[in-house]
Amino acid sequence: MLFYSIEEILWMLAAAMMVDWIIGDPKWFPHPVILIGKLIKTIENHWYGQSKVRGIWLIVVVLLLSVISTSIITFGLQFIHPWLGYIANVWLIATTIAIKGLKEAALLVYTPLKHGNLSDARKYVGYIVGRDTANLSEIEIIRATVETVSENIVDAVISPLLYALLGAAPLAMLYRATNTLDSMVGYKNDKYKHYGWASARFDDLLNWIPARFTGFFIVVISFFSKNFNGLRAWKAIQQFAHQHPSPNSGIPESAVAGALGIQLGGRNMYGGIVSERARMGVALRDLYRNDILHSIHILNGISVLCSGGILCGIFIYYF
């Protein structure tokens, strides 16, 4: 546990989730992910090459620097005073979680859709997806947003919490650095198919278990909501998740599709090139804008479930 007891880590996780819920990621405050992104770009500018070996060295350097710098901050402050170490851990773990940010990004798309403003909706959905958005229809905008929320439940909630549980802020930051590497260089295009290969594969590895936890949590939540269907969510995972090109993203995406009775996936455009993604779920109805709110409700439900689990862990520890 990197010198922290399970009790201490559980309290830090509870506090970090509270910080994210209330504060999120204020733009005026320096964010570690921005620094990690600048580090990745700097290394790329001096080290880029069509080589898997260079890509492996990229993740080794970025992850080592991320973990070492986080450890120096947390344990250095811990040495000065235990509470300073706890506060540093809470803040750093909170920066790896993005519940509030993900919710706000989805609502930023939903609001103009609600008022019939497709132009703004296309602009805002372009902030959270990599596909071409200039000519998306309303249904395509909704689909893109729901897919993003579904997939990012893993990246923004479950994975950082799991790795923070295993190793406090240093391990949570290792995960966030890996995820940032994947988002910056983990593409299969001509530029990054070799250089970004290791980053993409390591991100897949770290998300493998959290993605399956996420699918299970979505099913559980769906059984307790009148708007969702848990059995359909479970069946959708079994039927569709393996068809997704990602070994992990298909699980939450198919689970949400099944829970809502909608179909996700299909045709997207990337740089003017058509990409056909496997379709997730059976379309019992058409997508409509409130599906964005439904995906947010699932995100909220999982957040509450995680918080409840953390608090139960604290309760069990004491009693």
Side-chain angles (χ1 to χ4, degrees), residues 255-273:
V256 169
L260 299 182
I262 59 175
Q263 188 175 79
L264 301 174
R267 175 171 294 191
N268 299 319
M269 297 280 288
Y270 296 90
I273 299 172

Side-chain angles (χ1 to χ4, degrees), residues 2-37:
L2 293 177
F3 310 117
Y4 293 109
S5 68
I6 185 64
E7 174 201 4
E8 290 172 317
I9 289 185
L10 287 172
W11 277 114
M12 289 190 290
L13 286 182
M17 290 194 73
M18 188 68 68
V19 169
D20 180 72
W21 279 341
I22 296 172
I23 300 174
D25 296 319
K27 291 180 171 53
W28 52 267
F29 203 80
H31 199 288
V33 171
I34 295 175
L35 299 177
I36 293 169

Side-chain angles (χ1 to χ4, degrees), residues 145-272:
T145 307
V146 173
E147 287 171 356
T148 297
V149 173
S150 304
E151 294 173 11
N152 279 281
I153 292 172
V154 180
D155 299 345
V157 187
I158 304 301
S159 287
L161 286 176
L162 176 62
Y163 289 107
L165 178 65
L166 296 175
L171 206 55
M173 199 58 66
L174 179 142
Y175 169 74
R176 182 51 63 209
T178 302
N179 191 245
T180 306
L181 279 161
D182 180 58
S183 68
M184 292 183 68
V185 303
Y187 299 102
K188 294 181 179 179
N189 56 28
D190 290 339
K191 182 176 181 179
Y192 290 122
K193 63 183 178 182
H194 297 301
Y195 184 70
W197 174 83
S199 296
R201 297 291 75 76
F202 195 58
D203 184 71
D204 287 342
L205 177 65
L206 292 189
N207 279 322
W208 198 89
I209 291 175
R212 281 139 187 87
F213 275 131
T214 302
F216 174 72
F217 292 158
I218 292 171
V219 171
V220 170
I221 289 166
S222 299
F223 274 114
F224 292 94
S225 172
K226 64 179 181 180
N227 294 318
F228 312 136
N229 188 302
L231 183 59
R232 266 202 323 256
W234 176 254
K235 288 181 176 179
I237 293 173
Q238 306 306 310
Q239 185 175 353
F240 298 105
H242 68 280
Q243 299 176 26
H244 199 283
S246 163
N248 302 316
S249 297
I251 295 173
E253 196 173 306
S254 60
V256 169
L260 299 182
I262 59 175
Q263 188 175 79
L264 301 174
R267 175 171 294 191
N268 299 319
M269 297 280 288
Y270 296 90

Side-chain angles (χ1 to χ4, degrees), residues 113 118 121-122 133-143:
L113 279 180
L118 281 184
R122 289 180 183 126
T133 60
N135 298 307
L136 292 184
S137 66
E138 180 175 355
I139 286 180
E140 288 172 324
I141 293 169
I142 295 165
R143 176 168 67 84

